[in-house]
Amino acid sequence: MAPTVSGDELLTLYEQMAVIRRTEKAAHDLFLSGLVKGTTHLAAGHEAIAVGASAALRDDDYVFATYRGHHHALARGATPEECLAELMSRATGLCKAKGGSMHLTKASAGMLGSYAIVGAHLPMAVGAAWSARLRGTDQLAVAFFGDGATNIGAFHEALNLAAVWKLPVLFVCENNLYMEYTAIADVTAVPRPAADRAPAYGIPGETVDGNDVVLVKETVARLARRARAGDGPAVLEAETYRHYGHSRADPATYRPAEEVERWLKHDPLDIARGRLDRLGVSATAIDAADERATAVVQAAVDAAKAAPAPDPAEALTDVWADGGSAWRT
Amino acid sequence: MADLTDAQEADAQRQITYREAVAEGIAREMRRDPAVVCLGEDIGEAGGVFKTTSGLFKEFGPGRVWDTPISEQAIVGAAMGAAMTGMRPVAEIMFSDFLACCWDYLANEIPKVRYMTGGQVTVPLVVRTANGGGLGFGAQHSQATENWAFTVPGLKIAAPSTPADVIGMMASAIRSDDPVVFFEHKGLFASKGPPAPPDHVVELGKAAVVREGADITLVALASMVPVALTAADRLAREGIEAEVVDLRCLVPLDVSTVLASLDKTSRLTIVEENPYQGGWGATLVSVVADEGFGLLDAPVRRVAGECVPLPFADALEERVIPTVDKVVSAVRELAAY
């Protein structure tokens, strides 16, 4: 197949993935040094899905993600500095330090939120796609979710409603083989938890190598064209792997060593690097992209560390549209 | 006598039912704002199981009035997504008991998204639902559930008691940039009242003093308002003048009107249909104890539902939820304190 991504474009995608990888590493290190509280659900290893899909989307499309959503926020245009500041509870955080790691949101970039109740955001994406239809635009809504969400009722309600209303929404499952601590295969009746269920709702269900940014971009672009043309929703199951455990409390010792080794060798950055090499992009150019990514994330860490804590008065703002939180007279 | 009959008929014609007011209130907003759309089970051509959306499908068509599958999570979740992206959806959850099926959206998603995104996202939606008992629907179709929503910061809560208020508060709810849970009371659907004038808007969070009196304040909500008014009429024959406050909203909660009434009466009874355990009346009483203790000349009383599931038989249901007799006897006791 003729390449659909040029060397220059792929280098850009590579650099975005490199920024995400380094931001996740920084989040990990900052957590260990006590500067990130609560928990984090790192997406290192999943970069190609966020970056590939975003490359196939328009700026006015809508994206909904899960608590493992750092990569989607970054791919949609949030900066490492505002994301890390949010994780570090700084006033300059993406959500004014009211959201935290699990709720990174950048509405101005169409990143309409990261939701920490598994599966809850799939119906919201259906609603955003419905809204696009009602307003007569050809915007698309995309819900990124994990394999675990496929066993939640909201997944099934969302797929059915999207199908019967024939809405422009893509359901993109990041199947990293584990539903938190348990292998998804042990708790699911079909081998492909998302793609195998799609036909039951009259929706196409496809799988893709979620660690290959080019394949992800091409597949999402094709399904997006179809949805924009009025042919309805689709389910894409992107196969990938977590480099870290489910969350910071999880060393992921339940994963067989051989499996971990195999997947770490199938790294999205390495795969992209191989493709860049075949496209004739020099190692020097790729190394320069890596260096830029390192510098951007280091500067982000420094800036976030230097940023102030939020004013406690901010705790009582932003409940209502008038900015306040008054519930009584 | 002919003149009197004609006048009565003319009066009757000027009355509308609470049920009709729901559809009229939605229709008025759909006419003025194309961003208002409805979704829910059986709300289209069928007109809703309570006929509260009757006529909307005919006037606005399937592009504005959308029938859904029985999928409460999808209904409220999709309404949320649409509200975040430029629409003003009005979602119907048929019976308020079914809010439990989509409770994640009411408790975790809709009320929190503005806050946890640092104010980036606005969710201007209305979730309408038929609330309350008194019709013998049994334990899973009769609950007064406004307290469920009352426990969650970030939801506005409307519960009108008259047809005109239904229309005026529906206007405010749909125009609100904040999410509103709109409780329509099943027991009031057939009740009648004066129609709402054109462009009638009742601001959310404004209680109404629906009967003036100097001896005791009765605070009630939704179907308990007519119960309180009937009790007040009976008490008046005994020489006790009750002031009746229709709270109309739980959030915003109009504490000022209640305290102003207590300044006159010094005695307070709250009439609430929901179980005593965790009822909104408890919050109101705690605010009064905090801020209005000096106004009181007697303990406060809450006439509330018993803490049992709603039973089926009339005789059992009446034993459980507040009745005129129960209110009258509570007030008598308090007036004599």
Side-chain angles (χ1 to χ4, degrees), chain B residues 10 15 24 69 110 170 223 268 318:
Chain B
Q15 302 261 310
E24 173 65 17
I110 290 165
M170 189 70 77
S223 70
L268 173 63
E318 273 176 33

Side-chain angles (χ1 to χ4, degrees), chain B residues 279-305:
Chain B
W280 56 260
T283 295
L284 188 58
V285 164
S286 81
V287 177
V288 168
D290 250 359
E291 300 170 22
F293 188 73
L295 303 173
L296 294 171
D297 286 340
V300 293
R301 287 276 179 272
R302 291 173 59 212
V303 182

Side-chain angles (χ1 to χ4, degrees), chain B residues 55-291:
Chain B
L56 297 182
F57 187 82
K58 192 172 176 215
E59 180 175 352
F60 301 101
R64 303 277 302 276
V65 182
W66 292 63
D67 274 324
T68 67
I70 299 178
S71 299
E72 279 85 9
Q73 294 186 57
I75 293 167
V76 182
M80 180 181 172
M84 293 164 74
T85 53
M87 304 304 294
R88 288 190 179 267
V90 179
E92 178 176 311
I93 295 299
M94 194 183 281
F95 285 76
S96 65
D97 315 70
F98 310 165
L99 288 174
C101 300
C102 50
W103 188 236
D104 179 45
Y105 294 92
L106 274 298
N108 287 320
E109 316 296 343
I110 290 165
K112 294 185 169 70
V113 69
R114 160 171 280 280
Y115 189 79
M116 67 190 191
T117 63
Q120 294 180 54
V121 181
T122 301
V123 191
L125 63 75
V126 177
V127 176
R128 305 170 33 238
T129 191
N131 193 42
L135 298 180
F137 277 124
Q140 296 182 335
H141 284 66
S142 299
Q143 297 167 86
T145 67
E146 63 275 4
N147 295 292
W148 300 357
F150 195 47
T151 62
V152 183
L155 296 174
K156 292 190 170 168
I157 303 170
S161 73
T162 69
D165 277 0
V166 167
I167 289 170
M169 290 166 69
M170 189 70 77
S172 283
I174 293 175
R175 295 177 201 182
S176 167
D177 288 332
D178 296 312
V180 180
V181 189
F182 198 95
F183 289 95
E184 297 155 14
H185 201 285
K186 289 193 287 287
L188 295 174
F189 281 142
S191 66
K192 290 186 173 180
D199 303 320
H200 185 54
V201 176
V202 175
E203 190 184 338
L204 299 180
K206 295 277 183 208
V209 177
V210 291
R211 184 188 195 285
E212 295 203 4
D215 298 329
I216 187 160
T217 299
L218 289 176
V219 177
L221 187 74
S223 70
M224 292 298 108
V225 174
V227 169
L229 284 169
T230 307
D233 284 345
R234 267 173 53 186
L235 289 159
R237 294 200 287 271
E238 301 173 17
I240 301 169
E241 291 298 335
E243 178 144 302
V244 179
V245 175
D246 178 352
L247 213 46
R248 303 205 282 199
C249 276
L250 293 184
V251 178
L253 186 68
D254 186 355
V255 175
S256 305
T257 295
V258 174
L259 291 175
S261 178
L262 282 179
D263 198 27
K264 281 164 61 182
T265 66
S266 307
R267 283 174 167 75
L268 173 63
T269 292
I270 287 170
V271 191
E272 48 187 325
E273 179 179 340
N274 46 256
Y276 186 95
Q277 166 187 307
W280 56 260
T283 295
L284 188 58
V285 164
S286 81
V287 177
V288 168
D290 250 359
E291 300 170 22

Side-chain angles (χ1 to χ4, degrees), chain A residues 94 96 99 103 105-107 112 115 117 120 123-124 127 130-131 134-135 154 157 165 315 317-321 327-329, chain B residues 63 66 69 71 73-74 77-78 81-82 84-85 104-105 109 114-118 120 154 177-178 252-256 291:
Chain A
L94 192 55
K96 294 156 57 175
H103 303 295
T105 299
K106 184 149 183 164
L112 284 185
Y115 297 86
I117 308 293
M124 294 175 212
W130 179 49
S131 157
L134 290 164
R135 287 178 288 107
E157 294 196 15
W165 288 1
T317 66
D318 291 327
V319 172
W320 307 120
W327 62 279
R328 47 156 293 198
T329 58
Chain B
W66 292 63
S71 299
Q73 294 186 57
M84 293 164 74
T85 53
D104 179 45
Y105 294 92
E109 316 296 343
R114 160 171 280 280
Y115 189 79
M116 67 190 191
T117 63
Q120 294 180 54
D177 288 332
D178 296 312
L253 186 68
D254 186 355
V255 175
S256 305
E291 300 170 22

Side-chain angles (χ1 to χ4, degrees), chain A residues 167-310:
Chain A
L167 297 173
V169 54
L170 299 185
F171 300 100
V172 180
C173 176
E174 300 183 17
N175 184 351
N176 59 23
L177 310 189
Y178 290 88
M179 178 216 76
E180 300 198 1
Y181 298 65
T182 300
I184 189 70
D186 291 347
V187 292
T188 308
V190 290
R192 302 185 308 164
D196 285 348
R197 265 87 170 251
Y201 299 101
I203 300 176
E206 298 193 19
T207 53
V208 68
D209 179 352
N211 285 5
D212 186 331
V213 71
V214 173
L215 288 182
V216 171
K217 187 202 163 191
E218 286 171 351
T219 310
V220 171
R222 176 166 48 76
L223 296 174
R225 274 195 301 277
R226 184 183 169 281
R228 281 191 222 282
D231 292 336
V235 172
L236 178 62
E237 186 167 325
E239 293 158 340
T240 188
Y241 206 68
R242 292 188 314 236
H243 284 191
Y244 298 95
H246 163 63
S247 66
R248 279 303 309 130
D250 173 22
T253 48
Y254 45 81
R255 303 194 300 194
E258 179 275 330
E259 176 189 286
V260 175
E261 193 185 349
R262 177 160 40 88
W263 276 97
L264 289 183
K265 280 185 188 155
H266 193 60
D267 183 295
L269 289 160
D270 293 343
I271 294 169
R273 216 178 158 105
R275 281 185 175 275
L276 285 166
D277 187 46
R278 291 195 293 283
L279 285 169
V281 178
S282 69
T284 314
I286 305 171
D287 289 344
D290 275 326
E291 281 163 23
R292 285 193 297 272
T294 302
V296 161
V297 174
Q298 188 53 53
V301 170
D302 294 343
K305 278 184 179 169

Side-chain angles (χ1 to χ4, degrees), chain B residues 33-72:
Chain B
D33 184 352
V36 180
V37 285
C38 297
L39 72 166
E41 297 156 12
D42 302 321
I43 67 162
E45 205 150 16
V49 288
F50 295 108
K51 302 299 170 203
T52 45
T53 53
S54 198
L56 297 182
F57 187 82
K58 192 172 176 215
E59 180 175 352
F60 301 101
R64 303 277 302 276
V65 182
W66 292 63
D67 274 324
T68 67
I70 299 178
S71 299
E72 279 85 9

